[in-house]
């Protein structure tokens, strides 16, 4: 099982390959805001663990195992973003929250969230109610601050 750091790399490598058809060390470094030397070390580790095949100066290719996990990680990220939107988390907060929680949830918890999202999508009245509650809470907080 990959570490949280390995997951971040696999997720970003998968996304880059989906978008551009390839992922270079420099692209990965830019996406993750790290030094290319850090990327090279991690890519070598991912190669050793059979998530990808890396040839110095030639680039890298995800293995079937790497593609499967990369897709799963991207899907997990999208699911958590969608879930947080459904329950009314502000758009500015979603990315940071997903980055903070995605590595700390078990795959069982992810499956449960996936089921909950499906339920909420079928029961839009619940989602609307959550958004009304959030709006009311925000309005009360604003009034509290103004009364100070």
């Amino acid at each position: 099982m990959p570490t949280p750091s390995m997951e971040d790399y696999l997720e970003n490598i998968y996304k880059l390959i989906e978008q551009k058809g390839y992922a270079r060390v420099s692209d990965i470094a830019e996406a993750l805001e790290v030094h290319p030397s850090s990327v090279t070390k991690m890519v070598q580790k991912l190669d050793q663990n059979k998530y990808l095949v890396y040839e110095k100066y030639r680039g890298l290719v995800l293995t079937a195992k790497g593609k499967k996990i990369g897709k799963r990680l991207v899907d997990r990220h999208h699911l958590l973003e969608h879930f947080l939107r459904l329950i009314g988390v502000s758009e500015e907060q979603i990315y940071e929250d997903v980055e903070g929680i995605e590595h700390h949830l078990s795959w069982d918890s992810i499956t449960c969230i996936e089921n909950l999202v499906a339920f909420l999508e079928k029961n839009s009245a619940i989602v609307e109610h959550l958004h009304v509650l959030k709006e009311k809470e925000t309005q009360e907080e604003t009034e509290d601050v103004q009364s100070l």
Side-chain angles (χ1 to χ4, degrees), residues 95-114:
Y95 180 80
E96 185 178 323
D97 285 353
V98 170
E99 288 299 312
I101 64 174
E102 67 184 339
H103 301 297
H104 301 287
L105 294 171
S106 68
W107 288 106
D108 183 50
S109 294
I110 295 297
T111 300
C112 292
I113 291 170
E114 194 170 31

Side-chain angles (χ1 to χ4, degrees), residues 20-68:
K20 299 171 83 170
Y22 60 90
R24 298 178 308 201
V25 167
S26 58
D27 298 324
I28 300 163
E30 185 179 327
L32 293 170
E33 299 178 353
V34 297
H35 292 286
S37 59
S38 299
V39 174
T40 300
K41 287 178 190 173
M42 180 58 80
V43 165
Q44 290 169 343
K45 191 181 290 187
L46 292 169
D47 186 13
Q48 290 172 351
N49 285 281
K50 309 279 191 252
Y51 293 111
L52 55 80
V53 176
Y54 174 65
E55 293 181 34
K56 196 171 184 178
Y57 307 116
R58 297 199 48 127
L60 56 94
V61 178
L62 288 170
T63 61
K65 175 182 172 181
K67 284 180 190 174
K68 181 180 178 183

